[in-house]
Amino acid sequence: MEFVKCLGHPEEFYNLLRFQMGGRRKVMPKMDQDSLSSSLKTCYKYLNQTSRSFAAVIQALDGEMRHAVCIFYLVLRALDTLEDDMTISIERKVPLLHNFHSYLYEPDWRFTESKEKDRQVLEDFPTYCHYVAGLVGIGLSRLFSASELEDPLIGEDTELANSMGLFLQKTNIIRDYLEDQREGREFWPQEAWSKYVNKLGDFAKPENMDLAVQCLNELIASTLHHIPDVITYLSRLRNQSIFNFCAIPQVMAIATLAACYNNQQVFKGVVKIRKGQAVTLMMDATSMPAVKAIIHQYMEEIYHRIPNSDPCSTKTRQIISTIRSQNLPNCQLISRSHYSPIYLSFVMLLAALSWQYLSTLSQVTEDYVQTGER
C-alpha cells in the first residue's frame, strides 16, 4: 500500500496529494483530444496502448512537436518489436527492417509470424543499445532542432544525443534482469557476466548471489559514465516542455540505478522506485538546478553504499567524483527541505483522511515505475 510506503517519506505523500489535486497539470498539461484529426486520434490511441508512461510526457510537448514525436515513437516501437523478436531468422528479419519504411504506407500490412520466444544471448551489447535507443535520442534531437524550439547544436551533437538514449536503455536492461530471464531474453552484456558465471541465468541461483551483485555493480558503474553527457545535454535545452520531456525519464533512471545498486532484489523480484518518489521527481525535475540537485542526491546515496570489497568500488567512486565535478549543488531540493516537521505532520494527517480519494491516483505515475519497455 502506497500510504505505508510513504510513512517514512512524508514529503512524498504530500507531493502525491499535490500531484492529484492539480500539480500534475503544471508538469503535464492535458491535451485537447477534440481538436485532433481522426488519424491523429488513432495515433494517440495506439500510443496510450503501447506506453502510457511515454504517452504522458509526449502529450505534454508543445504544439506540433507532440504529434511528430508521437508518430516517431510509434514507428520506432514497431521497429524495435520486430528487431527484438528472436524467433525471426536473420535472413527474414533484415529485409523486413530494411523495407519497413514502405510498410508505413500500406494500411493493411501486418506481421503475424512471431512465435514463442527462444532464449538467445545478446552478443553485441553496445551496438544493440545504439540502434534501439541511441538512434532514438539522435532522431528526437534532430526533431527538436528542426522545429526551431531548440538550437541547431542539439541536433548536431549526435554523441550527446546517443548517450541520452544509451543511459535509459542500459538502466532498463540492468533493472529487468529477472523479467527478461523469465521471458527467455538475455540482454546483459556477455563480456561482463561471463567473468562471473558460465550462464547468465546462473545469477538467479542463491549460491551465486555475491557474484551476481558484483556484476550488477559493475554494470551500474559503467552506466553512470553517461551522466555527465546527460547533464551537458539537458543544460543546453531552452524549451520548457522539451526539457521536461527529456529530464523526467533521465532522473527516473538515475533513481532506478540507485535503487538497484548493490541490491540482491534485482535477482529475486521487482525493483522499482516508490510512487511518491516518482511523483516528487516529476514535479521537481523542471529546471537544471533541480535536476543537478536530484543527481547529487542519488550519487551520494550510491557512494555511501559502495562496498569496499566490491571489485569495482574504485571505478564507481571515480565516476561519481567526475559527476560531482560538474557543479552539482551540495544541498537538498527546496521542495524537500522547506516544510517544517509540524506542517508535514499536519499534511500527513490530512492526506490520511483523504486517502480514499488519493487511491484513484492517475495511472500515469504507476506506469513510470513499472517494468520499462525496450
Side-chain angles (χ1 to χ4, degrees), residues 74-316:
L74 288 175
V75 171
L76 291 185
R77 276 303 301 273
L79 276 167
D80 186 51
T81 300
L82 182 60
E83 197 282 334
D84 272 355
D85 193 327
M86 297 178 180
T87 68
I88 308 173
S89 68
I90 295 297
E91 294 75 18
R92 176 82 171 110
K93 182 182 291 186
V94 171
L96 282 171
L97 292 172
H98 282 167
N99 297 323
F100 191 85
H101 65 94
S102 65
Y103 304 143
L104 300 177
Y105 302 96
E106 301 177 20
D108 297 327
W109 185 83
R110 302 285 188 277
F111 184 79
T112 58
E113 299 176 25
S114 180
K115 303 173 184 177
E116 192 171 321
K117 291 188 180 292
D118 297 319
R119 184 177 301 276
Q120 293 187 12
V121 175
L122 182 65
E123 295 181 354
D124 193 344
F125 183 70
T127 301
Y128 171 81
C129 289
H130 167 70
Y131 278 107
V132 303
L135 288 180
V136 177
I138 292 171
L140 286 170
S141 298
R142 288 174 176 171
L143 282 175
F144 298 155
S145 294
S147 70
E148 299 185 352
L149 294 173
E150 297 295 347
D151 292 331
L153 179 61
I154 297 298
E156 293 168 358
D157 194 336
T158 57
E159 183 176 349
L160 285 188
N162 181 65
S163 195
M164 288 279 286
L166 294 185
F167 182 66
L168 297 180
Q169 183 68 16
K170 290 179 180 180
T171 299
N172 285 343
I173 287 174
I174 290 170
R175 178 198 58 196
D176 293 341
Y177 165 83
L178 192 60
E179 178 188 342
D180 287 337
Q181 281 292 303
R182 289 170 175 170
E183 294 292 327
R185 301 184 297 256
E186 295 192 347
F187 291 102
W188 278 28
Q190 188 172 12
E191 63 267 26
W193 62 256
S194 61
K195 293 184 292 185
Y196 300 91
V197 290
N198 293 323
K199 295 186 298 182
L200 181 56
D202 290 343
F203 281 149
K205 299 177 180 179
E207 63 268 25
N208 293 325
M209 190 55 63
D210 289 344
L211 294 174
V213 171
Q214 288 176 13
C215 184
L216 169 68
N217 291 347
E218 178 182 340
L219 291 179
I220 291 177
S222 177
T223 303
L224 292 179
H225 279 88
H226 293 288
I227 291 183
D229 288 341
V230 169
I231 294 172
T232 301
Y233 183 97
L234 293 176
S235 67
R236 292 176 177 175
L237 299 176
R238 63 186 187 186
N239 178 272
Q240 186 64 56
S241 73
I242 291 177
F243 182 89
N244 294 351
F245 173 83
C246 295
I248 289 173
Q250 297 292 332
V251 297
M252 294 285 187
I254 290 168
T256 298
L257 287 181
C260 290
Y261 185 78
N262 208 47
N263 188 352
Q264 295 183 3
Q265 188 62 24
V266 172
F267 307 96
K268 299 177 180 179
V270 178
V271 175
K272 63 180 182 179
I273 59 178
R274 299 177 301 275
K275 184 183 291 186
Q277 188 179 2
V279 165
T280 299
L281 290 171
M282 291 169 65
M283 297 181 71
D284 283 343
T286 57
S287 70
M288 203 58 226
V291 167
K292 285 186 174 183
I294 291 169
I295 294 173
H296 171 80
Q297 172 190 338
Y298 289 112
M299 290 305 97
E300 294 306 300
E301 183 177 317
I302 292 175
Y303 190 88
H304 292 296
R305 285 164 42 208
I306 299 174
N308 290 328
S309 59
D310 189 89
C312 286
S313 59
T314 301
K315 177 182 176 182
T316 307

